[in-house]
Amino acid sequence: MRVSAPSDGREEVWGQNWGSWWSALEEMPQATSSQGLPLIQVDGSRQRQVRKKTVSFSSMPSDRKINSTAACMSFMVEGCEMKKVRSNSRMYNRYFILDSDMRYLRWEPSKKDSEKAKLEIKTIKEVRLGKKTPVLRSNGLLDQFPDECAFSIIYGENYESLDLVASSADIVNTWVMGLRYLVSYGRHAVDVIEANPTSLRTSWISSVFEVADFKKEGQIVLSRAVQIIKGLNPGMKASRIELKFKELQKSKGRNGEDITNEIFTEAYCELCTRPEIFFLLVQFSSNKEYLDCKDLMLFAEVEQGMEGVTEEMCAEIVNKYEPSREGKERGYLSIDGFTHYLLSSECHIFDPQQKRVCQDMTQPLSHYYINSSHNASILEDHFWGSSDISGYVRALKMGCRSLELVVWDGPDNEPIIYVGHSVSSQVAFCKVIDVINQYAFDASEYPLILCLVTHCSVRQQKVMAQHMKKILGDKLYLDPPDTEENYLPSPEKLKRKILLKGKKFPPNYPDSEGDVTDEDEGVEVSKRLGEEYKDQMNGRLRLCKELSDVVSLCKSVQFKDFEVCKRYQKYWEICSYNEVDANRFANEYPEDFVSYNKKFLSRVYPSLMRIDASNINPQDFWKCGCQMVAMNYQTHGLMMDLNIGWFRQNGNCGYVLRPAIMREEVSYFSANAKDSLPGVSAQLLHIKIISGQNLPKPKGSGAKGDVVEPYIYVEIHGIPADCTEQRTKTATQNGDNPIFDETFEFQINLPELAALRFVVLDDDYIGDEFIAQYTIPFECLQPGYRHVPLQSLTGEFLANTTLFVHIAITNRRGGGKAHKWGLSVRKGRKAREYTSTRTTGIKVIDEVFRAATQPLREATDLRENVQNAMVSFKELCGLTPAANMKQCILTVSTWLLNSDNTMLVTLNLSEHYPAMEAQGPIPELFRKVLTAYDTMIQTSRTLIESADAVYAKIMQTQRTASEKTPKNSEGWSFLRSTVISAHSATKLQTSLFLTLLFSLACDTQTVPDCCRQKTCSCRIYDLLHGTGNHAAGILTLGKRKTDGQAYQSRLYRLLHASGNHAAGILTMGKRGEAGSFQSPDNSMVNQMCPSPPSMLDHYSSSDSM
C-alpha cells in the first residue's frame, strides 16, 4: 500500500475550493498579531448530564468544544463524575478532579483518607482507552457499558490499574488526551501553551484575516467573514457560521456587523475544530498540537497499515495539505492540515489498489461475476415506462458487461426494441447497436455480452444479423467453440470482444431456417402479450441461419435438471432462469447449483410480475455462483446499491473473480451455509463509527424543520452465516455533524463474498427517512482511520458528506458467532472444530482417507495454538485482538523508556528463534508479557518444525489414493466428487480434497524451502484453507504477491524501531519487493544475522501490519 493514493476524481466532492485556498495562502504574508485566544467555555456546572436512552454517548453540551490541550486541562480541573471499577467488578460513583497545580488526580467521596484518594500524575505509566485491563475484560462487566466509555490509568512500579467508566465517549477522550499529555510533557509544557497562545494555527488564521482586511481597518464585514470560513470548510452552513459570529459579538458586548481578528480567530477555532480528529492528533503528536514528519510516519504505519513509509513521503503530505506557509517550511501538519489529509482520497475507506484491475483475469469466463443489466432501455417501470437509448449509455458507463436486447418486428423492415405494453416509445435496433459500438469499451476493456430476446420474423432476423456484422465489425466474436477445451475462454483473451447470447442451430445445420426452443424469458414475454405471439407462447421460435451464425460462445439452451446438464451440456451453452426458479434451485439444491456454475454460465432475470421494475437481491444468487444477475438499472434502492458497490472492485471493469471455494473443481460449498466454513479462514471486522459530517436533511422532509436526528445502520451482506446488522444510537445534538463513537464487531465467514453497507437514517416519529448510504466489498476495506463518502438515494455522491470510522480486521479461525469485544478470538481445544473424513461407503476410499484424520487434527492444533498465543500477548500489552505487532512492540518500548527504574530487556537476534529476556529484576506485569512473548515464539517454532511432518502424512494419503484408484476409472470420478465434512456441521463445508488429490505446484520438498522461493506458486496454503495461492505456510500467516516478485525479510526493522519501522516481533515480516526497504542499520543487521533466513523470514503475522 502506498502513502499516496491515485486520485479518483472525488477530491472535488470532498474538499471543494481547498486547492484554491491553499494556492492563495502560499502568497500570504506571515501574521504578526499576538492577540490571545480563549479556546474554551466553562459552564462551571458539576451536575450530571441527563441522557435519553436513544441518545448517542456524545452527551457533552454542543457549545462546548474541546479544541486544544488547554481546553482538556480546564475540563479536568473542573472535574466530572465517573464510575470507579474495582477488581470485584463492582462500580462506585465518584467525582474526579485534577488539582489546579496539575500534580494530582483526586476523587470524592471516598472512605479513604483524602490524602489516599488521589493519584500522583508522575506515577502514571500509561493511559489505556477502552476495555484493556483484566478488570474491565471480566465477564461481569462485558455488556454493561460500551468499550468507548471506559479507560484505565496504569500507575506505579507494579503497573496497577485505576479503571474508570464515563457517561460519554467525549468525556473519556478528554481525560485520556489530557492525562497522556501530562504524562508525556508534564506541567511545564502546559505553562508554555498558556504563556504563548499565538500558535501555528492562530498565526495562520490571523494571516487569512489580514489578507481579507485589505483596508487595514482591523475588521471585516460579517458577510465577508462568513464567506471566508465557508470557503475554507466546504459543506458548513452559512447560517451556522453567521450565528456563531453573532453569539461571540454578543458575549463580548460588541454591536454592529464588523468582525475583528480576535472574534474571527475564535469563531474559526470553534467551528472548524473536529474534536475527534484533535484527540487523534494529540495521541500521535510529539510536538504539542501538530504532527511532524516522524509523528506522521508513526500514524501512517501503526494506525493506517501503510508500508514503506519514509520521511520524504510524509514531507510531501505536509506540503500538500498544510495550509500555513510556516507549517510547510518547518514540516509541521496542524489540525487543519491533518483534517484535510484525513478527508482526502489518500485516507478513503476504499483500497486504491482496487481502483484498477487487480484480479487474475486469465481464468474461465464462468469463474467471474459479471455486471448485468435487465431492460436497460426502460427509464421507469415495465408497464408505463418509455424506452430510450440513453439507458444503454448509462449502463455501459457504469461498467455493465451484459445487456439485454428485446427485439421486435418494426416498420419498414427495421427491427425495433421496446419492453412492456406501450409501444409509443420505440428504439431502432440499428441505433442501439450503434450506441453499443460507440460506448462498449469506454468503462472496461473486457468482453461485453449482448443477450438477444428475439420476437422478430425470419426476414427481420436477417436484418438484425446484417446490422450487427456491419456496425460491430471485428468487435463481434464469431470464432466457433474449441471442442477440445472444457471451459470458456478468459476475459483476458476476449478483451474488446462482443459476445452474443442467443439461439443457435447445431453444427452443419443444412437449412436456411428452422424451429428452435425459445428462451424462457421470451416465452414469458409472449404469454404476457397474448394471442399475437401464440407461436412463441408454445415455446417455439422460427430462427434464421444468419442470426444463428453470429452466436458463438453463449448459445442459449433450456435448463432441464442438474444431472442432465452435468452429462450433456457443452461449456459454451448458457441457461437463463426466472428468479422464482433460481430461488427454488438455491433452496432445494444449493450444492448442485454451486457445482453447476463452476463450469457453465447462468443468468438470472427478474420475474415479469415485477411490473414496477423492482430489483431482486443479487446476493441471493451470487452465493450460488450465478455469474449474471440482471438488474433494473433505472430502479434505485438497496438491491442496486449492493450491485453498484460490489462491482466497484477490480477497477469497476464489470468482472469480479468468484471465491476460490466456488471455483475449484473438487471444492465443496453450500449456498445456504449458516455457520463458519472449515475450509475458509474467517475474519473479524471491527468497526468504530466515530462521527458524521455535513449530513443533509432528507429530501421532502419538513416535519422537523431543519433538525436532523441521524443514526447509522451497519449492514453485512453475504452468505446466510454473515448477514447481520447493527445500529448506533440516535444523535440528537448537532445532528448535521453528529458524534457517535460506537464500536461493532462482525465475524465474516466468507470474506470474498461479503459486502459492508453504511446507511444513514433520520429518526422520526412518523417513519425513519433515508439520508445517505455507501456500499463497499469487504475485500476493498482499508484499515485505520478512514472517511466514508456517502451517496444519495439515486447514487450521486453528496458533496462534503462523510462518515468518519475506524476499521480493523483480524483473522479468526473456528466456528460460531463472535462474542462482543473480541473475547472469543481465543479458542480452547474443546471449542475447536476438527475436520474429519466423510464415510462414502466405498471401503477402499474410506480406509485410505481415514489416515488423514489425525494429521489434519494436528494441523488445526498448531494453527490455533499460535493464534491463541498471539492474542494473549496483545492483551497483556494492553491492546485488543485487532491490534498489530507494531503496536505491541511500540507499547513495550514505551514502558521501558518511561520506567523510573532502569530495566534492561534484550532480544538475541543471533538465535534462530529470538528470545526476549530480562536482565535483572522487572515488575510482575513485564514478566507476564515476556512469558507471553516466549509462548508465542515457542508455539511458532513448533508450527514451523512440525509442518513438514504433518504435510508429509497428508501427502502420503494422497499418493496412496492415487495408486489405489486409477484416474480413468469410475472410482476416480467418484473420488473427485467426494468431500470432507466437519463433525459439528450438518452440511459438507470444506474443500480439503484439493490438496489431497493434487500435488504441490512447486518442486521444493520442505515448508521452509518452499517459503524461501521467489515466486508464489506454493500451494501449502490450500492444505488447510483452500482459498487460493496466497500464503507461505500452513498457517498462511501472511499473503504473497504475484509470480516473479522477489522478497526480502523485514526482520532487521524489528528492533531498530527508532524511526518507527518495526514490522512486529514475528515479521513477522510482511515482505516487500527486494531492495525496497533501506535502513542505515542494514549492514549492522546483516552482521548480526549472517545465517540463512530463519523462521522469521517466512513466518508472517496473521494481522495486517
Side-chain angles (χ1 to χ4, degrees), residues 896-1069:
L896 292 171
L897 292 173
N898 292 342
S899 176
D900 294 336
N901 300 325
T902 302
M903 290 190 295
L904 180 61
V905 176
T906 62
L907 185 68
N908 190 353
L909 285 178
S910 63
E911 296 272 340
H912 195 61
Y913 298 95
M916 189 185 294
E917 298 177 346
Q919 306 297 318
I922 57 174
E924 181 62 23
L925 176 63
F926 257 97
R927 194 169 301 282
K928 290 180 179 179
V929 169
L930 297 185
T931 300
Y933 168 78
D934 183 65
T935 302
M936 183 174 62
I937 292 296
Q938 293 306 319
T939 54
S940 304
R941 177 177 183 171
T942 302
L943 165 74
I944 297 301
E945 294 180 350
S946 304
D948 288 335
V950 174
Y951 175 72
K953 292 176 184 178
I954 299 177
M955 290 304 296
Q956 180 59 42
T957 303
Q958 176 206 334
R959 286 190 290 269
T960 303
S962 300
E963 292 168 2
K964 292 189 176 184
T965 312
K967 289 191 176 182
N968 295 325
S969 69
E970 184 177 351
W972 177 257
S973 300
F974 185 83
L975 179 64
R976 287 168 62 87
S977 65
T978 308
V979 294
I980 296 175
S981 65
H983 269 310
S984 61
T986 57
K987 301 281 186 179
L988 308 176
Q989 294 178 336
T990 186
S991 59
L992 298 182
F993 250 49
L994 185 63
T995 305
L996 297 177
L997 296 179
F998 300 103
S999 61
L1000 286 176
C1002 55
D1003 298 326
T1004 54
Q1005 301 301 314
T1006 65
V1007 173
D1009 289 337
C1010 174
C1011 293
R1012 283 197 286 270
Q1013 288 191 113
K1014 300 302 183 183
T1015 70
C1016 68
S1017 58
C1018 168
R1019 299 202 49 197
I1020 297 180
Y1021 173 72
D1022 291 339
L1023 177 63
L1024 288 178
H1025 300 287
T1027 55
N1029 304 328
H1030 298 298
I1034 278 194
L1035 267 193
T1036 109
L1037 304 172
K1039 291 187 177 180
R1040 292 190 169 194
K1041 299 183 181 177
T1042 58
D1043 285 348
Q1045 283 189 325
Y1047 295 88
Q1048 175 177 318
S1049 168
R1050 293 182 66 187
L1051 173 62
Y1052 71 86
R1053 304 181 73 174
L1054 173 62
L1055 291 180
H1056 302 281
S1058 59
N1060 302 318
H1061 296 296
I1065 269 242
L1066 291 182
T1067 123
M1068 295 171 155

Side-chain angles (χ1 to χ4, degrees), residues 695-698 704 706-710 731-732 734-736 762 771:
L695 300 181
K697 184 177 175 56
K704 298 186 296 182
D706 291 331
V707 176
V708 180
E709 295 181 321
T732 59
N734 200 21
D736 54 346
D762 184 22
I771 296 177

Side-chain angles (χ1 to χ4, degrees), residues 403-414:
L403 293 173
E404 181 184 51
L405 306 179
V406 184
V407 191
W408 307 82
D409 280 344
D412 302 324
N413 199 34
E414 281 293 333

Side-chain angles (χ1 to χ4, degrees), residues 176-195:
V176 169
M177 187 182 76
L179 289 173
R180 282 176 176 174
Y181 198 87
L182 286 174
V183 170
S184 299
Y185 309 118
R187 166 66 183 154
H188 174 69
V190 180
D191 292 337
V192 172
I193 292 176
E194 293 176 347

Side-chain angles (χ1 to χ4, degrees), residues 407-408 453-457 518-519 522-524 526-527 532-542:
V407 191
W408 307 82
V453 181
T454 306
H455 302 280
C456 294
S457 62
D518 193 13
E519 274 274 346
V523 174
E524 291 186 22
S526 300
K527 288 181 178 178
E532 185 180 352
Y533 300 95
K534 62 181 179 179
D535 289 339
Q536 287 179 261
M537 288 170 61
N538 296 324
R540 306 298 295 174
L541 171 69
R542 194 71 177 173

Side-chain angles (χ1 to χ4, degrees), residues 728-764:
T728 67
K729 296 176 176 60
T730 300
T732 59
Q733 296 182 6
N734 200 21
D736 54 346
N737 290 279
I739 299 291
F740 297 102
D741 265 321
E742 293 192 56
T743 302
F744 306 107
E745 183 179 282
F746 304 94
Q747 177 174 318
I748 311 298
N749 296 286
L750 186 56
E752 293 173 279
L753 194 56
L756 171 65
R757 184 170 185 255
F758 300 93
V759 188
V760 186
L761 299 173
D762 184 22
D763 200 341
D764 199 319

